[in-house]
Amino acid sequence: MGGDGAAPIRASEALRKKLAKIGLQREADLLVHLPLRYEDETCITPVARAAGGRPVQVEVVVHGNEVQYRPRRQLIVRAADASGEITLRFFSFYPSQQAALSAGSRVRAFGEVRGGFFGAEMVHPRFRKVGDDEPLPTELTPIYPSTAGVANSALHKLIARALESADLADTLPDELRQQLKLPGLARSLRFLHTPPPGTDLDTLHARHHPAWRRVKFDEVLAQQLSLRRAWLARREQGAPVLVARDDLGARLLDRLPFGLTGAQLRAMAEIARDLGQPYPMQRLLQGDVGAGKTIVAALAACQAISAGWQAAFMAPTEILAEQHYLKLAAWLEPLGVKVAWLSGSLKGKARREQLAAAAADAQLIVGTHALIQEGVDFARLGLAIVDEQHRFGVAQRLALRKKGSNPHQLMMSATPIPRTLAMSYYADLDVTVLDELPPGRTPIKTRLIADSRRDELVGFVKKHVEEGRQAYWVCPLIEESEALQLQTAQETYATLLAEFSGLTVGLVHGRLKADEKQAVMAAFAAGEIDVLVATTVIEVGVDVPNASLMVIEHAERFGLSQLHQLRGRVGRGAHESSCVLIYAGPLGEVARQRLKIIYEHTDGFEIARRDLQLRGPGEFVGSRQSGVPLLRYADLEADADLVEMARGVAENMLTAHPELAERHLQRWLGSREELLKS
Ligand code: ADP
Ligand code: MG
């Protein structure tokens, strides 16, 4: 930047320390530290006309003050102007403030005036002692986000000085700026720091003004540049080139009882191309529950294996990992592929054998977190596949990559993320979307029934089983206590055993030993269990096509994505499927909204979009390492169009104008970019 932008803020050591706490270190940081709101101190309102809900400024002379102790300690200041009397009330105050508000002082107080029983009153106004005929400010007063011990006026002064001396050169070339219909940066920043008198406060506060739009765009652009740069940096790293040397993939396809959907073929082609590159793939395969991600992953594994490398396949739960293992082994072992299995519950000799295989001639290694533990070595890991990736932490996903020398990485997720959110969270990844379900699926019927009508369900379930189908019965979620959760599951099981006499009822929950879980799931998959009572351990991935009824008790306690995942366990075969949501009233507003959404929609992306509206982006994806902490002004939901715009500009800028990109990042992120890497 033009010399002084990167220079530290000129202030006392003590003040600099406080400023650093709110991310203000360089002069340049001050420029983009924008007001939270503005106060209009350019005019004086007579006390008699001051009440009315809007903050105003009054200029009054103090008659006297006293400290009262009932009902709580407070400083009461009586004052007046020519039009009337007013009380200023402070619940915390310094002796110096009390002294400044002594009889005879002339003060300007800014705040909301309420007309109480005892007349007009201001609580905790901002105030300032003034002389006679003190001129009024001619500009709106910006109120900045600050921290303890840094007065707004001090920040204001520092920022005003920085605005005069610092470099405000635009990082958007004029032509591009005009194309995007955005005002210049210098003009926008000056305007926001010192809006001219008469500027409409409502527009300013709503942040719709073009100057705000420019700031938000710049911020989103910085985020996109940063993520994109990380993506490019990855290309600098080398990775094994995985080119198939035989027809393993084709032979797997031949064995399948179905053909791939168009979406699966497209995903497969994208992945196949990436795997053949000399830099590591980092691709997210997103697809609604039941879209058929597993077979795409299996074909990717075939390519790695056929190129002479190993593939690892990691899943977040034992049940799911086991199911994948059984399925992949059934698909690939007949084709001569050596498949190994690792999980936390595998012990002793069996474990040693599998470890030895992974370190030697196993070609596909399937497992849980156990795959990334110390002591697990892979001979030639070329592809790391992570299923239900949102269930893993960043560190865990990275750990799998570290088991090889820069293997390609394929991550899968059934938690659909709305596009703009994905662009912010995953701009450093390539994203493939499976936007098509396999054919022949009948839509799932969703019903909502009140707890009081639970009895009617018994007959419904029985009829369902008589038709040869199977059902899941999901127990109430009790987040606060795992012990209580277990107890509830056992009670539900006991109740249903009695109610469904004549049917086979099974129970699976998180506290069962791995082999016990395995036995229950295997029996259910084989059709030996009619009704499977389960906790949310079955939430992800489980695939039993003959199960076509899902009952969820206390559905109001579940989150939207959980409900969608659970419902996605059915509707996998050709039979008509239904999902019954039992709820207990009275429902809170958010719970009611959630049930309405899950009732009305089956498309995962639509549900996710509404979930985002209901909850906001922060909670939505959790605290993934992401570009989101970099955004202070832009809102991913409200400013979605800016994200789209910025994405294209970022890609182009990094190649066509790297020096502008660098300056832009410096200006908007500076040290904040470190947040991304943490
Ligand atoms: P998810 O994307 O939720 O992981 P799965 O990979 O478990 O979905 O697939 C769901 C079910 O659909 C499985 O039984 C799978 O064998 C089946 N399936 C996958 N692709 C197809 C297809 N193209 N045609 C028919 N069935 C398919
Ligand atoms: Mg899956």
Side-chain angles (χ1 to χ4, degrees), residues 2 49 112 114 137 139 144 163 208 210 324 335 366 380 440 489 506 542 546 584 637:
R49 288 199 278 118
E112 208 172 294
R114 272 181 260 164
E139 285 158 349
Y144 290 100
L163 272 174
H208 291 327
H324 280 322
L335 301 175
V366 185
R380 274 167 73 75
V542 171
N546 191 50
E637 180 68 9

Side-chain angles (χ1 to χ4, degrees), residues 1 23 26 28-34 167-172 184-186 188-189 192-193 211-226 629-634 653 660-675:
M1 293 189 58
R26 315 161 306 158
D29 296 333
L30 292 167
L31 302 176
V32 295
H33 190 69
L34 293 168
D167 172 20
L168 286 171
D170 214 309
T171 42
L172 294 185
L185 179 70
S188 300
L189 289 179
L192 293 177
H193 284 296
W212 267 123
R213 203 169 147 76
R214 171 63 204 258
V215 161
K216 293 176 186 180
F217 176 81
D218 273 28
E219 187 181 56
V220 174
L221 176 59
Q223 179 208 42
Q224 292 295 319
L225 283 169
S226 162
L630 302 177
L631 299 181
R632 286 182 283 175
Y633 309 119
M653 202 181 220
L660 283 183
E662 185 52 38
R663 271 172 54 195
H664 192 89
L665 280 164
Q666 273 304 316
R667 171 173 285 150
W668 286 97
L669 301 185
S671 51
R672 292 172 66 88
E673 200 179 5
E674 290 300 312
L675 282 174

Side-chain angles (χ1 to χ4, degrees), residues 98-242:
Q98 186 178 358
L101 291 164
S102 57
S105 294
R106 174 176 289 273
V107 296
R108 284 186 189 150
F110 191 94
E112 208 172 294
V113 174
R114 272 181 260 164
F117 183 71
F118 297 107
E121 148 167 340
M122 264 184 180
V123 177
H124 270 290
R126 244 173 4 96
F127 74 93
R128 192 162 74 87
K129 213 168 146 171
V130 293
D132 294 344
D133 298 323
E134 179 137 333
L136 284 164
T138 53
E139 285 158 349
L140 294 172
T141 310
I143 307 296
Y144 290 100
S146 191
T147 175
V150 183
N152 188 63
S153 54
L155 254 178
H156 192 175
K157 269 195 207 117
L158 287 173
I159 291 170
R161 196 186 60 200
L163 272 174
E164 274 165 29
S165 59
D167 172 20
L168 286 171
D170 214 309
T171 42
L172 294 185
D174 280 350
E175 199 184 324
L176 174 63
R177 197 168 56 67
Q178 279 157 17
Q179 219 179 315
L180 299 171
K181 300 200 172 60
L182 293 169
L185 179 70
R187 227 179 84 198
S188 300
L189 289 179
R190 290 214 173 88
F191 176 87
L192 293 177
H193 284 296
T194 52
T199 309
D200 180 45
L201 271 180
D202 289 335
T203 336
L204 267 180
H205 286 160
R207 303 199 169 180
H208 291 327
H209 194 279
W212 267 123
R213 203 169 147 76
R214 171 63 204 258
V215 161
K216 293 176 186 180
F217 176 81
D218 273 28
E219 187 181 56
V220 174
L221 176 59
Q223 179 208 42
Q224 292 295 319
L225 283 169
S226 162
L227 291 167
R228 179 79 186 169
R229 205 168 52 172
W231 183 88
L232 287 169
R234 214 179 58 236
R235 302 208 141 202
E236 303 292 308
Q237 307 167 351
V241 174
L242 305 179

